[in-house]
Amino acid sequence: MELLQDSDCCGNGCTNCILDNKPRPSNRVLLAGKRNVILSYTKFRLLRRESLESGSDEQVLLLHFVHVAEEEEQNPDKEDFVLDIPPGHHVMLRVGSLLRPYSPYWSDFLAKEFRILVKLQPDGPMSRHLADVRPGDLLEFRGPIGNYVHDPQKEKCIYIIAQGVAIAPTLPLVRQVLENEEDMSRVWHLVCARNLQHVYFREELLEFAHFWNYKSCLYLPHHQCDTAACQEEGHCDQECPNFQRSLRYKETAKVSRLDASSLASHINSSVPGERILIVAGDSGFQKTMAQLATESLAVDPANVYLL
Ligand SMILES: Cc1cc2nc3c(=O)[nH]c(=O)nc-3n(C[C@H](O)[C@H](O)[C@H](O)COP(=O)(O)OP(=O)(O)OC[C@H]3O[C@@H](n4cnc5c(N)ncnc54)[C@H](O)[C@@H]3O)c2cc1C
């Protein structure tokens, strides 16, 4: 494996810097007896590029990649590789000397494929590059980077707070709990978005809602229907019939920000298990939510994870 150098850091001040998180083989990789293909920069081919509509000028791309085995005929060991990106971990994309981290929301261990959701930033150098990528293009990624580990043997109350597109990396965290019938942990998924049109993966959230140990609440402070009253107010009222009609079965949403008192309403003191908090969003959001939630949900700061 290549040694990490200062130049491997993207300089974005990530909470989990690649330099502080030297990748160690996960239990899954050790059990499979294979090597993780992404431990050093390696090429992935773009299989699918989809532009998601959110009804605004925000540009969001869904990108699906597959690993490209180098000179397959000279590499008879290609079956010895897997792609292991554990939930809550990110990967680094390198284009020339430009490095940016991205958090996969789905990956396939054996097929060596992963997907990311990218919000293009106006005038961002990597955003400019990604706006132009097309299926068939090759890009280099390295990882996995992160320090979150979930122990399914221990019953926990897991609070996951997500902002906008950063809901993407929280999906594998939810799936790993719900897909394990022996995992008695409960998940509270608190999703912050401008309005319903900006809630990504809504269908998947509705599927999660069928599980006994999953609850979600959407916080949509700018949700607005076409009626004169809501247009004048700048957002719908919580009781607005149009807003209520736009919600689906088992979907809970508030036309407000997630603040200290709304966080406290999820405390559920009678539910047993250690409290864990995971926050996914930009650094300002992470800082604010981590501070509010440690107070309102009585989470030990040692159990706070910022993705
Ligand atoms: C651990 C980690 C994981 C990430 N995962 C994803 C991901 O899965 N999908 C994704 O789209 N992005 C993700 N990002 C952000 C991503 O790495 C890039 O910063 C982003 O794609 C913009 O890159 P750029 O070079 O185009 O612009 P930059 O030069 O990085 O930024 C351009 C401008 O946009 C601002 N900006 C950058 N990112 C954000 C943001 N998230 N929210 C608000 N303003 C921002 C910058 O402050 C700057 O003013 C992640 C960041 C970190 C630290």
Side-chain angles (χ1 to χ4, degrees):
M1 194 174 74
E2 282 173 43
L3 287 174
L4 291 173
Q5 298 172 350
D6 284 353
S7 57
D8 283 307
C9 170
C10 63
N12 285 337
C14 307
T15 310
N16 295 305
C17 175
I18 194 167
L19 298 181
D20 303 330
N21 286 276
K22 305 201 171 53
R24 270 179 281 128
S26 68
N27 286 344
R28 204 174 172 202
V29 166
L30 291 172
L31 280 172
K34 307 214 175 196
R35 281 173 288 166
N36 191 3
V37 78
I38 201 167
L39 290 182
S40 49
Y41 279 108
T42 186
K43 287 193 175 64
F44 286 80
R45 174 175 291 115
L46 183 65
L47 286 179
R48 184 158 72 102
R49 176 195 188 277
E50 202 181 306
S51 199
L52 301 190
E53 299 296 328
S54 63
S56 72
D57 50 5
E58 184 172 290
Q59 246 201 305
V60 175
L61 299 179
L62 182 162
L63 303 175
H64 181 162
F65 294 95
V66 61
H67 178 250
V68 182
E70 274 171 41
E71 290 123 26
E72 288 185 10
E73 52 299 341
Q74 289 171 30
N75 179 12
D77 293 341
K78 69 178 165 42
E79 296 302 329
D80 283 345
F81 287 99
V82 287
L83 173 65
D84 185 37
I85 306 172
H89 285 56
H90 61 269
V91 294
M92 194 67 76
L93 167 60
R94 177 172 78 177
V95 175
S97 59
L98 189 63
L99 304 172
R100 290 288 183 273
Y102 293 93
S103 310
Y105 67 87
W106 174 92
S107 61
D108 189 311
F109 194 66
L110 294 176
K112 299 182 274 285
E113 295 178 19
F114 70 92
R115 295 179 193 153
I116 54 174
L117 198 64
V118 176
K119 180 175 162 188
L120 300 181
Q121 299 291 340
D123 303 324
M126 192 60 90
S127 299
R128 265 199 302 274
H129 186 81
L130 290 177
D132 288 341
V133 291
R134 292 291 173 265
D137 288 354
L138 297 181
L139 286 116
E140 288 183 320
F141 291 91
R142 160 177 203 161
I145 307 152
N147 59 9
Y148 180 74
V149 184
H150 172 65
D151 177 1
Q153 311 298 326
K154 289 193 195 148
E155 186 175 345
K156 291 181 230 120
C157 290
I158 307 174
Y159 296 99
I160 303 177
I161 306 180
Q163 176 199 37
V165 286
I167 190 175
T170 70
L171 301 180
L173 297 163
V174 177
R175 281 187 217 120
Q176 88 173 330
V177 174
L178 304 189
E179 284 172 3
N180 182 353
E181 282 181 15
E182 285 163 24
D183 194 331
M184 292 295 126
S185 295
R186 289 167 188 247
V187 177
W188 282 267
H189 207 182
L190 309 179
V191 176
C192 304
R194 215 179 302 168
N195 52 33
L196 261 183
Q197 292 71 43
H198 285 81
V199 176
Y200 299 99
F201 303 104
R202 203 172 155 199
E203 293 303 321
E204 187 142 11
L205 300 187
L206 290 164
E207 276 176 35
F208 291 158
H210 291 114
F211 287 81
W212 68 272
N213 47 348
Y214 176 86
K215 276 206 166 63
S216 74
C217 187
L218 311 176
Y219 290 88
L220 313 165
H222 301 290
H223 191 84
Q224 196 178 35
C225 71
D226 293 336
T227 59
C230 297
Q231 289 289 323
E232 195 177 321
E233 195 59 32
H235 57 83
C236 288
D237 182 78
Q238 183 65 32
E239 303 312 322
C240 166
N242 286 339
F243 171 61
Q244 291 297 334
R245 260 196 301 274
S246 60
L247 299 179
R248 308 261 295 273
Y249 177 63
K250 286 203 169 189
E251 196 169 42
T252 310
K254 311 270 182 215
V255 189
S256 59
R257 284 182 182 281
L258 177 59
D259 58 13
S261 70
S262 36
L263 275 167
S265 70
H266 298 286
I267 191 159
N268 299 291
S269 314
S270 58
V271 180
E274 192 177 27
R275 266 62 186 156
I276 306 286
L277 173 71
I278 301 166
V279 189
D282 64 36
S283 54
F285 180 84
Q286 287 182 343
K287 209 170 145 212
T288 309
M289 285 302 155
Q291 196 181 337
L292 284 180
T294 41
E295 291 159 14
S296 303
L297 295 170
V299 180
D300 180 341
N303 290 339
V304 175
Y305 296 87
L306 307 178
L307 298 192

